[in-house]
């Protein structure tokens, strides 16, 4: 390699240029690479302008190509160099995580032959779970960069790196591949290299150790059922609701687990995982007491925690027959209690109302109607059980509470419940979206077996985003068990949920004790309408965690507008009825469509792109900072990116809080630099602080013209103090802060 | 092919572009198919000489050579416990071994792996055919037997005359090996 690094002009060029010389065997690979290179051309051009040699040359094999990359183009005075090993895999091929799972091998690096290198530590971005015929493997597809922290022996001197990278790549066959990579970084000022952004993007995918990720892993317990060992893990997410959490388990010596069964609780803020052990344990032994490393992944967020497995307590170790019976009882009881939860209560109210309306109906008719509702409940729950069994046998992870991921579902239910409330209040007599007229119409009249059956299914539907005491335990048990357990538990749940209807079917004569129709019925309708409206409010209150407050307020407003539109005819009889209804329909559809429109980044829900803060950010312009400061202004710079997890939690926990956002918006010029895509201006701004990654927050002002660099993990205190100091007002504004500041220094 | 041409005549006016793309893609697919087939079938006829000089350890630690396979029909299977596609084939080979062991057919597994992993896998899947293991030299042997990519699973069927009858890279469909060895049994 010589002294100077071999300049690779840019990713795209490097691939395209050398593909000319490929052998025929490589041609198919090369074609797709040329296409790929074409898409990278703009990037390559921008990189070419920089002409920095911060990446080694691509080494290409049949199914994988690799190179070394660096966030800096020269070594500067850095004791640790931010490097990475980039792999690009051919379509359909994968390579593996440090714990590959039921098959696979982790990458192995050998740095022998490098000069001025003391040590190099590889880290692993969060992997994907690949499930194939119940085989669980963990790894990467398409592209991955393994970040490397390389300690240099003599800072300030050039570094010549040689890495022999052994990776296993698999598709329909597995091929162990060995690649010899090289990269030379000359001495000199450490300017950011062209790949600083790429490297940082993958660095931000490395699971965070500790609680900075926004979630915490609780106790890890093991228990045994029928000689089968399971691991139970619970986790709490404070900054947001879980969307599709997964947990990866590493034990030493290795043990294999099936895909976790996930159940969400606490409005989606808690996730409980049950993982079946699929490898063998010596008879009579248990997993209790063993050290374990857990990696919890939810969308873009990942955390890693080492802990010890505790012996499970409670019924987990009991005999299976009594345990099954206990869980059956739990499910039954849970089903009964579900009727009293705000989500299902309206259905019971509706049915009771129909009883009141038809107090004079013959008992046989009442019995048939209530039995039909009960059958609807049980049937729909068995349908859910069937779907869960199918998903489970397909090797997918299943769970209760998945609906929390679906703001559209919640908004739709809220709209329907609000419609029922309006009906109760007499805003309109018949609910007429034609598809539900069948059951909605009969909800009022109490007639029709199909209508009553459908209303039972509706009760089940309303119950799904809801949980009640015992329900979670029983469902968790069912999902961890076999087909029979799932059917049994869901049947019990159905019977429990249907119990009030079954009771009335058993004693239909209760209808006779209902007083004669009169004013009290109108009042009762009003009260039940209020209960329904309350349910709608409760449903809407789940939404902020998913779509943010602004969108939630919009949904609430649209539902309110729908109610007003429906009421318009009753309030102002001159208005044509259809106009109110048409407007209501539009509002209802808008309320449901709004969360749908907001689902831009499905992987991370509302977290990734959308910033719900109130600060009016201006686009980052480094040249402006100086002149703004000379005018006596304070500038707050936030460098962020959609893929930067810590940036998102900084926004959520600090920047967008009321206190901080008011201060930033009120007394500073807020500038935001978006590094979601590579931007050499931002890279060089970062490097001026000796940073090659984000988050990065700096406050400039008359009191700090050179800027105050804030810690990566922001605290409210740190931001407020820095703003005060930069604006030169620290003494007057907050004596407490000033004192603490002095204590700190 | 005639169908394709008829189609061309029918649609060429309206859908020239779409058709051109379709034809190109078909050609590419056919080419790809030929290419894949070539990887297996178009190898120069070769003998299994490399196997007779090879030597690997079995899971009990004993050094094994394979000259005893000479004059028999041998099914040599290169695999590893870390190879996901290999995992579901082990039971097929076990069945093959159990069925043909008394008919001058030998199944040999060569694992690119370490002893402990192989032992565990053999026990778990109750494999009955002989298995040896090795590292890089096992990959080299497979390459010398015609495994150009060095990937696994890779299976070689060797005739009684020591010539390689078939090479299969990737998944072996159930019954395929049986179809290959059946005609060899009589000879």
């Amino acid at each position: 390699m010589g002294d100077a690094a071999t300049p690779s002009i840019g990713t795209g060029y490097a691939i395209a240029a050398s593909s000319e010389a490929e052998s025929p065997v490589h041609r198919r690979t090369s074609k797709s690479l040329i296409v790929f290179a074409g898409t990278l051309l703009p990037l390559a051009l921008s990189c070419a302008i920089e002409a920095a040699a911060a990446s080694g040359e691509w080494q290409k094999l049949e199914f994988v190509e690799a190179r070394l990359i660096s966030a800096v183009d020269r070594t500067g005075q850095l004791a640790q160099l931010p490097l990475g090993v980039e792999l690009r895999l051919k379509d359909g091929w994968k390579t593996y995580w440090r714990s590959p799972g039921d098959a696979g091998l982790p990458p192995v690096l050998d740095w022998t032959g490098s000069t001025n290198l003391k040590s190099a530590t590889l880290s692993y971005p969060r992997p994907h779970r690949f499930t194939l015929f119940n085989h669980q493997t963990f790894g990467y597809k398409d592209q991955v960069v393994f970040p490397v922290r390389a300690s240099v022996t003599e800072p300030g001197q050039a570094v010549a790196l040689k890495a022999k990278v052994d990776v296993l790549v698999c598709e329909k066959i597995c091929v162990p591949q060995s690649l010899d990579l090289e990269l030379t970084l000359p001495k000199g000022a450490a300017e950011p290299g062209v790949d600083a952004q790429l490297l940082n993007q993958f660095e931000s995918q490395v699971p965070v150790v500790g609680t900075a990720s926004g979630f915490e892993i609780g106790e890890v317990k093991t228990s045994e059922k029928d000689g089968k060992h399971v691991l139970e893990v619970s986790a709490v997410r404070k900054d947001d609701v879980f969307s599709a959490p997964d947990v990866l388990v590493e034990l030493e010596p290795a043990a294999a687990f099936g895909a976790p069964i996930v159940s969400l609780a606490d409005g989606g803020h808690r996730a409980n995982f049950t993982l079946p052990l699929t490898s063998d344990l010596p008879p009579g032994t248990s997993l209790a007491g063993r050290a374990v490393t857990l990696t919890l992944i939810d969308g873009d967020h990942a955390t890693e925690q080492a802990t010890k497995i505790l012996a499970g307590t409670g019924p987990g170790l009991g005999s299976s027959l009594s345990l099954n019976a206990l869980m059956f009882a739990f499910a039954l009881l849970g089903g009964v209690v579900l009727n009293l939860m705000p989500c299902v209560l309206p259905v019971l109210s509706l049915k009771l109302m129909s009883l009141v309306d038809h107090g004079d109906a013959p008992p046989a008719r009442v019995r048939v109607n209530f039995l039909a509702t009960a059958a609807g409940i049980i049937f729909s729950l068995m349908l859910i059980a069937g779907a869960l069994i199918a998903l489970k046998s397909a090797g997918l992870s299943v769970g209760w509470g998945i609906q929390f991921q679906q703001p559209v579902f919640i908004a739709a239910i809220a709209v329907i419940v609000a419609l029922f409330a309006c009906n109760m209040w007499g805003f309109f007599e018949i609910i007429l979206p034609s598809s539900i007229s069948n059951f909605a119409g009969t909800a009022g009249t109490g007639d029709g077996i199909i209508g009553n059956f459908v209303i039972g299914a509706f009760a089940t539907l309303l119950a799904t985003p809801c949980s009640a005491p015992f329900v979670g335990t029983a469902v968790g048990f069912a999902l961890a068990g076999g087909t029979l357990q799932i059917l049994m538990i869901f049947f019990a749940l159905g019977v429990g949920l249907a119990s009030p209807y079954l009771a009335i079917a058993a004693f239909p004569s209760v209808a006779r004790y209902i007083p004669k129709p009169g004013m009290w019925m109108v009042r009762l309708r009003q009260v039940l309408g209020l209960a329904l409206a309350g349910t709608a409010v409760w449903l809407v209150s789940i939404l902020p965690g998913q779509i943010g407050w602004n969108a939630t307020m919009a949904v609430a407003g649209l539902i309110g507008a729908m109610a007003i539109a429906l009421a318009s005819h009753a309030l102002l009889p001159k208005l044509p009825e259809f106009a109110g209804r048409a407007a209501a329909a539009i509002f209802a559809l808008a309320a449901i469509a709004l969360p749908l429109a907001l689902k831009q980044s499905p992987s991370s829900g509302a977290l990734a792109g959308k910033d719900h803060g109130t600060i009016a950010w201006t686009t980052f312009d480094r040249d402006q900072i100086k002149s703004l400061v000379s005018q006596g202004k304070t500038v707050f710079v936030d460098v962020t990116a959609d893929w930067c997890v810590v940036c998102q939690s900084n926004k959520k926990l600090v920047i967008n809080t009321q206190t901080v956002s008011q201060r930033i918006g009120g007394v500073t010029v807020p500038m935001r630099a978006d590094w979601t895509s590579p931007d050499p201006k931002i890279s060089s701004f970062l490097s001026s602080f000796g940073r090659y990654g984000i988050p990065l927050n700096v406050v400039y002002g008359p009191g700090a013209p050179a800027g105050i660099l804030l810690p990566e993990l922001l605290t409210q205190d740190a931001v407020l103090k820095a703003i005060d100091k930069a604006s030169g007002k620290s003494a007057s504004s907050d004596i407490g802060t000033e004192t603490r500041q002095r204590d700190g220094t | 092919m005639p169908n394709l041409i008829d189609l061309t005549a029918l649609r060429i006016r309206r859908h020239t572009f779409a058709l051109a793309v379709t034809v190109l893609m078909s050609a590419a697919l056919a080419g790809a198919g030929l290419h894949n087939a070539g990887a297996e079938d178009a190898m120069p006829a070769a003998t299994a000489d490399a196997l007779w000089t090879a030597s690997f350890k079995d899971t009990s630690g004993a050094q094994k050579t394979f000259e005893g396979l000479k004059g028999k029909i041998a099914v040599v299977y290169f695999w590893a416990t870390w190879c996901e596609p290999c995992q579901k084939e082990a039971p097929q080979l076990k069945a093959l071994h159990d069925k043909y062991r008394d008919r001058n057919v030998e199944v040999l597994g060569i694992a690119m792996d370490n002893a402990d992993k192989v032992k565990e896998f053999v026990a778990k899947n109750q494999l009955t055919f002989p298995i040896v293991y090795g590292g890089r030299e096992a990959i080299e042997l497979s390459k010398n037997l015609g495994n150009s990519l060095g990937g696994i699973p890779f299976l070689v069927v060797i005739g009684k005359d020591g010539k390689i009858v078939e090479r299969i890279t990737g998944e072996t469909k159930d019954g395929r090996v049986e179809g290959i060895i059946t005609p060899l049994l009589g000879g």
Side-chain angles (χ1 to χ4, degrees), chain A residues 28 62-63 94 96 102-105 132-133 135 137 168 171-176 278, chain B residues 32 35-36 81-85 87-88 124 136 139 149-153 169-171:
Chain A
R28 275 185 304 141
E62 179 86 15
F63 310 111
K94 65 183 173 196
Y96 295 90
D102 294 334
L105 292 173
L132 191 72
F133 306 112
H135 272 157
T137 54
L168 177 68
E171 195 220 13
K172 291 194 176 79
I173 58 169
C174 286
V175 188
T278 51
Chain B
H35 175 85
N36 277 342
T81 60
W82 41 256
C83 161
E84 213 172 338
Q87 300 202 348
K88 60 175 180 179
K124 192 169 182 179
R136 197 149 286 280
I139 299 174
L149 295 171
I152 53 172
T169 305
E171 186 191 352

Side-chain angles (χ1 to χ4, degrees), chain A residues 124-326:
Chain A
Y124 297 84
R126 63 184 139 78
H128 298 281
R129 177 189 289 272
F130 301 108
T131 302
L132 191 72
F133 306 112
N134 283 329
H135 272 157
Q136 309 292 321
T137 54
F138 308 102
Y140 311 93
K141 280 190 146 182
D142 303 324
Q143 181 197 26
V144 63
V145 177
F146 296 105
V148 175
R149 286 285 146 181
S151 297
V152 292
T153 319
E154 266 186 89
Q157 295 304 309
V159 171
L161 300 157
K162 282 181 195 279
K164 181 171 172 287
V165 181
D166 286 315
V167 287
L168 177 68
V169 295
C170 291
E171 195 220 13
K172 291 194 176 79
I173 58 169
C174 286
V175 188
Q177 307 258 254
S178 192
L179 300 113
D180 291 306
L181 309 182
E182 292 187 1
L183 171 65
T184 301
L185 293 174
K187 62 180 183 181
E191 289 296 316
V194 287
D195 293 308
Q197 191 262 3
L198 175 70
L199 179 59
N200 197 224
Q201 201 175 325
F202 280 89
E203 273 172 343
S204 84
Q205 292 181 21
V206 176
V208 183
V209 180
T211 54
S213 60
F215 36 57
E216 267 173 56
I217 299 173
E219 285 186 337
V220 183
K221 291 181 190 164
T222 182
S223 58
E224 191 187 341
K225 282 178 206 161
D226 310 333
K228 287 177 182 166
H229 297 265
V230 296
L231 206 61
E232 280 158 20
V233 181
S234 71
V236 174
R237 180 159 189 180
K238 287 180 178 154
D239 62 334
D240 203 342
V241 291
F242 281 110
S243 57
D246 191 3
V247 68
L248 280 45
V249 180
E250 292 169 280
L251 281 173
E252 196 57 52
F257 294 89
I261 286 135
V262 188
S263 64
L264 298 182
D266 291 353
H269 287 285
R270 174 178 289 278
N272 297 307
F273 305 88
T274 307
L275 300 107
L277 180 74
T278 51
S279 53
D280 295 327
L281 274 189
T285 61
S286 121
L287 293 168
R290 287 175 68 175
V292 62
T293 302
L294 298 167
T295 303
L296 178 65
I297 303 172
D298 189 34
D300 292 344
H301 286 234
T303 189
E304 186 185 309
Q305 191 176 310
T307 182
K308 252 202 169 71
I309 301 176
L310 304 173
T313 49
L317 298 158
S319 94
S320 66
L321 192 67
S322 63
L323 184 63
N324 280 335
L326 180 71

Side-chain angles (χ1 to χ4, degrees), chain B residues 35 79 110:
Chain B
H35 175 85
W79 66 286
I110 301 181

